[in-house]
Amino acid sequence: MEVKTAGSVGEIYRISGPLVVAEGLKAKMYDVCKVGEDGLMGEVVGIRGDKILIQVYEDTSGVRPGEKVVNTGMPLSVELGPGMLGTIYDGIQRPLPALKEVSGDFIGRGIEAPGLDRKKKWAFKPTVKKGDKVKGGDIIGVVKETELIAEHRILVPPNVSGTITEIYEGDFTVEDTIAVLDNGMELKLYHKWPVRIPRPYAEKLPPEIPLITGQRILDTFFPVAKGGTAAIPGPFGSGKTVTQHQLAKWADAQIIVYIGCGERGNEMTEVLEEFPELKDPRTGRPLMERTVLIANTSNMPVAAREASVYTGITIAEYFRDMGYDVAIQADSTSRWAEAMREISGRLEEMPGEEGYPAYLASRLAEFYERAGRVKTLSGHIGSVTVVGAVSPPGGDFSEPVTQNTLRIVKVFWALDAKLAARRHFPAINWLQSYSLYAEVLRSWFEQNVAPDWGELRNWAMEVLQEEANLQEIVQLVGSDALPDAQRILLEVARMIREVFLIQYAYDPVDTYCPLEKQYDMLKGIKMINDWMFKALEMGKTVEEIINVPGKEKFARAKFEENYKPVMEEALEEIRKNLLGE
Amino acid sequence: MGKEYKTITDIAGPLVFLEKTEPVAYGELVTITLPDGTVRRGQVLDTAKDFVVVQVFEGTRGLDKSCSVRFTGDVVKLNCSKDMLGRILSGSGDPIDGGPKIVPEERREIVGAAINPYARQYPREFIQTGISAIDGMNTLVRGQKLPIFSGSGLPHNDIALQIARQAKVRGTEEEFAIVFAAMGITYEEAHQFMKEFERTGALERAVVFLNLASDPAIERLITPRMALTAAEFLAYEYDYHILVILTDMTNYCEALREISAAREEVPGRRGYPGYMYTDLATIYERAGRIRGRKGTITQMPILTMPGDDITHPIPDLTGYITEGQIVLSRELHAKGIYPPIDVLPSLSRLMKEGIGKGMTREDHKEWNDQMYAAYAEGVDLRGLVAIVGEEALSERDRRYLKFADEFERRFVNQGKYEDRDIEYTLDLGWELLAILPEEELTKIRREYIEKYHPKYRKKKAAEGEAS
């Protein structure tokens, strides 16, 4: 029989930073406890004899041995219901605006703030009626949450089923009963779910649709599928966060969950200030209306940082269960791993590589495995795409977090400090990066964008590869010593790099590049390439060819909203200059 | 006042272990009285029903088991007052300038609570430091944390002093007050700072915390927190714009490692504790602006990279927290260039919002991209020249080489007392860009080229004279 742990009271025996040891407490692993007189929130992470080890999500300064510990008997859970979009939470789903109201500009301790607003009323429209049978995960009605997400689908909690005996339409708070089942169960607009347990689904589906990001190097060269996993490792200053922000802004998911895990406070502020101003390119609504932010900055308590990625992915799964495509950005998973390391160190566990706990690899794998494109319990199709930033010490990809991540994820966007130093952004190294979805998604691109999409991409990759080989020779003898054909190839490679791959995140137009434009740009470069080689055959000198007028105009077309006339004009000029009339 | 205990069981490095005490709070301030009557202070690092671990800030030299230990029931606090301005304090916040005690308006915990990200305001105001390599290439803004990554023997102190002297937000009369925290620097270095502060009158609007190389290492763990508490008090209670200079963070990290080793913790990289990232973040993240408050805190930590290695854990973890970095180069220093700022690995993450029309000048952003690309190209070509010789280069390449040389000699290089305004910096950059063939300036729009390129300016000037 299960031991009842709720309400059990014990005493603090020891305090060491975020780790508190209690005695005389009845507890299961991962029970949430209230620690000390201030009622700091903590979670049971170990049981040793009569001692219970608790990681505390708040600063423990001033807490003394002998103070009481109360077990709630519940695992760490989030509240899932309307009101999450546009909100910024800390790592354990406390809304930061609510914390500010209670404790001012600095975050105080022992504050309880529910994840969902208790007062706000939502207009609920049932989609099932009295007498209908419902099971876990079924949709019983909708609430208009924001203009962008007009249908927040209200779900039956996954572990509940029965026949509807009552269902109401009207304005309700999240705590009001909106339906009653024949077993007496009352359904509300929200339910709770423990963050460490993946939400159930009917079946996993193969990922075969790309997540369109509007970023040329990502979509064309290294695409990620909806429901896929990707990692962006890179040293500091190489643009991890900017890339993550770009994904949060422009990825064609319906819902974005952005987890700022142990990163800079100002970066979250930037999102908070910028997103309400930015418009979704597809609907014209503020991007904030589809975004849930989770901010646990580097100076906020380390245990809550450990929890923040679980909070984020659980919220993402909830929207997936409504049948939405969700993209989640975790910046940075290294800080999460470090939080695990810190807690593990305090638990005096035997360390694995570089002091990280031995279970680092399995925790990372479990987390990324919660991504996927699924058929939900209600028969809809939804997906969670996970993009994790990794911050390897010294930019060295051989460290444990990067290595264990790469073993799991299917897309690797390798950031390169050298590219960043010369302000080539996004500083994604095209030779090191890969996408295992590229082949699977090729047919989608060929059906939906252009039939020669895959061919064009492979051509561009080959040119860049060849350029890398030639660079080694150029380093020794200079480019003038190369044969003409190779000098033209170098020029074409330069155009691919500087015109196509460099993309200005802060330019109002270039920040988002639609697929058709991506294709046109690359196709344009391919045409210039073909004309250049033809001109060489016709006897033009290589200097004339590689310095052909019109290139600059072609390069600037990417800054034009209506790029086609500019691009066509530039191409025509280049063609005339190379081949004559 | 709390009971006195004489139950010390072990002393290890900077740590003192006691047994059988009343319940002692985690983080509590402790005073230890030696047999000769001197008093040391410490802080509780680990507390249980039957033992307590205390780290002693002033070191454990001379301590024995007979010392009496008193738990104050209070956490470490700083006496805050506006009168701190103009004072020199020890690394633990006591006056050491012979002046009177500071009468506290408020006693503040030195471990500041985290700023709620929702309460922050994004930093946007351009700070003109008068140094071209910073203002033009890696602009500093109010509320930013921008460290200087240096090496031993490089003139980071001169640069910090020059910034402290020259920093201003244009168009306002508001001046920066300075909070200066020295951790483990030599008397000579400290003297240089003090002399300079006194000479320029900056001391009147400065609070100085000094922990010298001869002072206890463990004190360094509280010095930056003391300094930031003072900064927060002045910024948020008295609306000051504070520039916090922390030097040398490397010494701080060494002290952190010392404590960690004494506690026999599982070490992370190179013996530094696994929580060093979090610990540093609790210092650096105290920079910023808060909505609805006038004062701001801008941080400029200085650290010396051991072995000039930017991948060493100290600069590495710092770079992951701070909003960019200014990197000094030994090579430039050897060439006689001051300030020897290597702009390529340097970065200011917040500059994009602080530059451009209305803040610096409309062409700044594109100018910056072009300057970076051109200098990077020139530096690359130097590698080639070393192999094939300059004669083998094309005319275009030779111009890039010239650009890179002039960039270092004229743009980066400037006097220690030379205060360049931003227009001068940008125009100087344009003069250098004019070395390159005009068609190479692909990153700048035509409109700006015609407005700012010296060629067109001269033409315009000539036309102006003619008419």
Side-chain angles (χ1 to χ4, degrees), chain A residues 11 14-15 62 262 392 422, chain B residues 26 46-47 49 277 293 320 380:
Chain A
E11 246 183 33
R14 177 182 174 191
I15 302 134
R422 55 184 51 228
Chain B
Y26 178 75
D46 198 335
T47 170
K49 282 190 174 167
Y277 175 83
R293 300 200 192 215
Y320 274 121
D380 272 1

Side-chain angles (χ1 to χ4, degrees), chain B residues 370-404:
Chain B
Q370 192 71 60
M371 293 283 282
Y372 256 103
Y375 180 59
E377 173 107 34
V379 169
D380 272 1
L381 284 166
R382 283 183 187 159
L384 185 59
V385 169
I387 299 168
V388 298
E390 204 169 330
E391 303 73 41
L393 292 187
S394 66
E395 172 60 22
R396 173 189 169 278
D397 290 356
R398 262 192 288 257
R399 292 214 200 175
Y400 270 100
L401 268 186
K402 182 162 183 240
F403 176 89

Side-chain angles (χ1 to χ4, degrees), chain A residues 492-509:
Chain A
V492 173
R494 193 193 62 79
M495 288 182 70
I496 297 176
R497 281 189 286 112
E498 294 187 4
V499 180
F500 187 76
L501 292 183
I502 292 186
Q503 188 167 356
Y504 292 86
Y506 301 118
D507 181 274
V509 174

Side-chain angles (χ1 to χ4, degrees), chain A residues 188-438:
Chain A
K188 296 174 179 176
L189 287 176
Y190 84 111
H191 63 269
K192 289 190 178 182
W193 189 262
V195 297
R196 294 183 196 278
I197 300 173
R199 287 174 63 88
Y201 49 82
E203 66 175 305
K204 263 207 175 163
L205 303 171
E208 50 202 19
I209 301 167
L211 183 79
I212 311 296
T213 66
Q215 311 304 303
R216 288 186 288 270
I217 187 160
L218 306 187
D219 291 345
T220 304
F221 279 13
F222 310 109
V224 63
K226 287 201 170 95
T229 51
I232 321 179
F236 60 83
S238 58
K240 283 182 299 298
T241 301
V242 177
T243 309
Q244 290 277 39
H245 282 192
Q246 286 298 93
L247 290 174
K249 285 175 195 168
W250 310 125
D252 71 336
Q254 284 137 321
I255 306 284
I256 298 289
V257 178
Y258 191 96
I259 312 171
C261 174
E263 288 286 311
R264 302 175 183 87
N266 277 331
E267 286 171 356
M268 297 314 294
T269 309
E270 186 184 358
V271 175
L272 271 176
E273 290 187 9
E274 197 180 13
F275 275 35
E277 308 291 321
L278 289 172
K279 301 277 185 285
D280 180 51
R282 284 159 288 266
T283 59
R285 297 295 308 171
L287 284 173
M288 202 62 195
E289 292 185 2
R290 64 162 193 178
T291 309
V292 182
L293 294 174
I294 294 167
N296 199 264
T297 57
S298 52
N299 56 338
M300 282 157 77
V302 68
R305 190 195 302 169
E306 194 270 334
S308 65
V309 299
Y310 293 106
T311 298
I313 196 135
T314 309
I315 292 173
E317 285 174 340
Y318 170 67
F319 282 105
R320 173 203 70 190
D321 290 347
M322 294 181 207
Y324 287 125
D325 290 315
V326 187
I328 174 168
Q329 280 85 40
D331 184 17
S332 149
T333 57
S334 292
R335 306 300 163 225
W336 171 49
E338 282 166 12
M340 274 193 260
R341 173 167 72 181
E342 183 169 348
I343 307 284
S344 165
R346 304 267 182 188
L347 290 170
E348 293 170 2
E349 291 171 338
M350 183 69 78
E353 221 178 328
E354 290 194 19
Y356 286 104
Y359 46 78
L360 173 73
S362 59
R363 289 278 170 90
L364 281 169
E366 275 167 25
F367 169 67
Y368 282 105
E369 194 54 25
R370 288 175 76 167
R373 186 159 162 267
V374 305
K375 195 165 157 200
T376 67
L377 295 178
S378 61
H380 290 76
I381 289 176
S383 67
V384 173
T385 311
V386 177
V387 179
V390 185
S391 318
D396 171 13
F397 290 171
S398 68
E399 59 92 38
V401 182
T402 314
Q403 282 307 311
N404 284 312
T405 303
L406 289 184
R407 278 171 38 208
I408 311 156
V409 300
K410 300 283 189 290
V411 180
F412 172 44
W413 295 322
L415 291 169
D416 186 335
K418 277 207 190 107
L419 290 174
R422 55 184 51 228
R423 301 307 192 254
H424 175 118
F425 286 115
I428 295 171
N429 185 307
W430 48 89
L431 298 175
Q432 255 185 311
S433 304
Y434 58 78
S435 165
L436 300 183
Y437 301 116

